[in-house]
Amino acid sequence: MPALPGSYPGASTDAPPLDPRAEPAAPRVRPAPPATAGQPRPGGLLGRVLAGVPLGESPLTHVAQLPARPAEEADWPDWAHPRAVAALGDLGVRRPWSHQVAAASLARAGRHVVLATGTASGKSLAYQLPVLTGLLEDPKATALYLSPTKALGADQLGAVLACGFDELRAACFDGDTALEERDWVRAHSRWVFSNPDMLHRTILPRHAKWGSFLRRLRYVVIDECHAYRGLFGSHVALLLRRLRRLCARYGATPTFVLASATVAQPAESASRLVGVPVTAITEDGSPRGPRTVALWEPPLLEELTGENGAPVRRSAGAEAGRMLADLVVEGARTLAFVRSRRGAEVTALRAARSLAEVDPALAARVSAYRAGFLPEERRALEAALDSGELLGVASTNALELGIDIVGLDAVLVAGFPGTRASFWQQAGRAGRAGREALVVLVARDDPLDTYLVHHPEALLGRPVESCVLDPTNPYVLAPQLACAAAESPVTDAEVDSVFGGAKAHAVLDALVEDGVLRRRPAGWFWPLPSERPAAQVDIRGSGAGQVVVVEADTGRMLGTVDAATAPATLHPGAVYLHRGVSFVVDELNLDDGLALVHAEEPDWSTSARSVVDVAVVEPELAADPMSLPPPGVPPPGVTVQLGDVTVTSQVVSYLRRRPSGEVIETVPLDMPPQTLHTRAVWYTIEESLLLAAGLDSSRIPGSLHAAEHAAIGLLPLFAVCDRWDIGGMSTALHPDTGAPTVFVHDGHPGGAGFAERGYQELGPWLAATRNAIAGCECPAGCPSCVQSPKCGNGNNPLDKEGAVIVLDIVLEALSRGGRARDRHNAPSAAS
């Protein structure tokens, strides 16, 4: 494809696909390579990164130069309290930017507002100004701040405390707050900094004790609200409705002030989250230094082959570890975002080992940061990063929304984070002091990553996504309504005005029929006053809770893992990493939520294998792409459906691999099956069409399987989801459809809107999937096109060529039938 404006001349846009296994070369402290004719030598930090590339490799696929943006300042509004203006001025805010004043003035006027601007655009001041003014004017008023991460909440509390208003008694109320401090916060604090989890489990269930605070609540700040999407976002949307309902009962109508990264349709997304109309401010008046954005594909390692003989490329984490070391040698403060906890640990460890060969003192200035660390560990790392003691940090997305890090020179994104919004949020961590900065996206062994580095317009030239959440999901509504009824009986009027009307009524009726709630003339009641259902409802996951990881010999708690993922990550024999130290799991007890481990440094890693079955519960929407076929053209026998399914999965074994990717052995496991009731989109193709297209019966399973894998990999391009939020299954003859079928399903109970999005975007989604497979240069399939890192069948069978044939049949049906029409006037299946 032709290079986009700003492309680095000579950068390859047609490199082969990638695979994750192999160690990186050590950092090379040498000058950047000289320029060739007509090709300028990359300067600055990108030149340093390229200087560490072994000769003969060409991993750079695209470079874009993002220009600087000047500031657009404004005067302090007349309504701002003089003490608040003076305090903010003492902290370095000479004059506010235009978007800060616009959002703050709407909040001051009592209008719910969302400020949707880029990272480092000063969104904090937009809510600090009206909240500080309101609390200083009214000595009895209170405010509540909610953030998706503890690190962000602690950082924002520190910014407010720096203003010096002791009378506000601003305080933190989260899971790390000592029990003896919680009573003081509830009784005395006028600005409480918390998170949705504490609101759900503690504040609302004990609202009588919080009555004085709720009665005087004037502002509710919801920071980084774009993080509330999918199942988590649906829970938080209903949680905020529970808050509004109780505030109304105490006589308060707080103003909601939301801060968000740049998202599509921010007003609609924020309104869906809060349940009331919200006005959006999107014009960004903050200054921004120039940034270089580079797209990077790790090199092919010709001496190695991976699973089923697939080509092997260096992993994104290994490449990021090498880059991190090179940048630290240069003295650049660098943050590397890695997709998994284990990946963050390994990337930091690789960088530290490489640096130890250059300068042992530098090795101590690199660390990992991730969820699961103990509170004191997180605080120490945050302080070291903020002070500059740490030069390089490998982090999960725990720091995407974390502390306000100033002065970073570079950000490495090891694997596309799932959405363009998250990518730009992570990229915005670089250059926060207005200086020139470097952002590098390093592709993983994933169809979406490979597609993006070779189609940069899909990342850099398209708007960010809108958030997907569904507060009417019955699997979310049911537990949330039970929690609401336990807090205070739910009335008919509240069902209609707060909780969604008819769907909520149906869920309440089901809860009464199941004996969970009781119906009285005054409303729906929780029948067990001594029990609180909120304690049993996990708003962030499947509801399965957490598994605690404990070192058996010492009894030391190392961290926690979601119970839903524990069978795949903490099964007996699994390798678990903590702070760069390896442990091997001895025992996993899901009933007790406990995993026992011992310290060990094995020369192998582990990956779980599972089997999956999908049963159709109710096909809600059905589309026939040939509902209006052209004259003389027979119907193609292709249908697309959307509906409820039951997914049963079971971890049955795990692989032990050497660092080269070689499989040492497959170890069987006896783990309990897990059942998920969720939503799926699926298509069927009559076998006669596949046979007529040249696929014999023996090739059909592998062709469908390959098409399924690639579709899962590309759906995040069209829905705000991650590959790990969705799953799939394919079969040459499904008992419920009676035909060859490919399923793609949500990975959350009741669904999170991803299957619906896939149904609505079926045409573009499958077209991108087909192009990604056909454009991959591997001979028979690899992780960049049709292999999946979580395939329970070991990526076998897979038929790359057959997958293209399958997708061509579906796309031809969609094309010949125009916009597909479902039998119930549902949204189009192709657009």
Side-chain angles (χ1 to χ4, degrees), residues 12-25:
S12 169
T13 58
D14 198 26
L18 91 172
D19 191 276
R21 301 175 290 271
E23 291 294 330

Side-chain angles (χ1 to χ4, degrees), residues 570-582:
L570 289 177
H571 57 77
V575 176
Y576 175 81
L577 282 179
H578 179 74
R579 301 298 302 273
V581 179
S582 294

Side-chain angles (χ1 to χ4, degrees), residues 5-72:
S7 295
Y8 169 62
S12 169
T13 58
D14 198 26
L18 91 172
D19 191 276
R21 301 175 290 271
E23 291 294 330
R28 302 187 179 189
V29 186
R30 57 179 172 82
T36 58
Q39 177 177 322
R41 185 182 69 189
L45 295 179
L46 181 56
R48 164 49 57 202
V49 170
L50 285 168
V53 174
L55 298 177
E57 294 183 1
S58 301
L60 198 61
T61 63
H62 181 80
V63 177
Q65 302 291 344
L66 304 185
R69 180 182 61 210
E72 184 177 335

Side-chain angles (χ1 to χ4, degrees), residues 295-494:
L295 305 184
W296 191 281
E297 188 173 49
L300 180 68
L301 302 174
E302 297 180 358
E303 66 275 14
L304 295 177
T305 57
E307 193 170 50
N308 299 321
V312 172
R313 286 185 178 272
R314 190 171 296 147
S315 73
E319 198 80 335
R322 196 273 302 166
M323 292 181 186
L324 182 61
D326 273 351
L327 291 167
V328 168
V329 167
E330 190 73 7
R333 296 180 61 189
T334 305
L335 180 58
F337 284 104
V338 188
R339 297 300 305 277
S340 69
R341 296 182 180 187
R342 175 184 171 84
E345 295 274 12
V346 171
T347 298
L349 187 60
R350 282 170 169 159
R353 286 176 176 172
S354 296
L355 287 167
E357 299 177 6
V358 178
D359 183 351
L362 289 176
R365 302 185 70 180
V366 174
S367 177
Y369 182 103
R370 59 172 175 79
F373 279 5
L374 300 179
E376 56 271 22
E377 293 176 315
R378 291 198 307 269
R379 299 292 180 260
L381 288 171
E382 290 161 10
L385 181 59
D386 190 44
S387 68
E389 177 184 348
L390 283 177
L391 273 179
V393 172
S395 173
T396 60
N397 62 359
L399 281 181
E400 177 183 324
L401 309 176
I403 60 176
D404 188 14
I405 309 164
V406 177
L408 288 183
D409 300 298
V411 164
L412 308 174
V413 183
F416 181 63
T419 67
R420 288 180 292 273
S422 289
F423 170 76
W424 289 115
Q425 183 75 6
Q426 293 179 2
R429 289 294 188 184
R432 295 175 72 91
R435 298 179 297 181
E436 184 174 0
L438 172 67
V439 178
V440 182
L441 171 63
V442 186
R444 288 184 304 151
D445 55 335
D446 182 276
L448 179 56
D449 284 45
T450 303
Y451 184 86
L452 290 175
V453 296
H454 291 293
H455 299 81
E457 73 284 355
L459 175 64
L460 307 179
R462 291 183 58 181
V464 296
E465 308 88 349
S466 58
C467 292
V468 176
L469 59 91
D470 181 14
T472 66
N473 180 340
Y475 287 86
V476 179
L477 258 177
Q480 288 291 333
L481 287 171
C483 292
E487 292 154 6
S488 180
V490 177
T491 66
D492 278 292
E494 290 172 335

Side-chain angles (χ1 to χ4, degrees), residues 3 7 63 87 91 190 238 248 302 364 448 458 460 510 538 566 636 639 686 700 716 726 807:
S7 295
V63 177
L91 294 175
R190 295 179 55 211
L238 287 164
E302 297 180 358
L448 179 56
L460 307 179
D538 179 9
T639 63
E686 289 185 4
I700 291 176
I726 51 180
L807 292 167

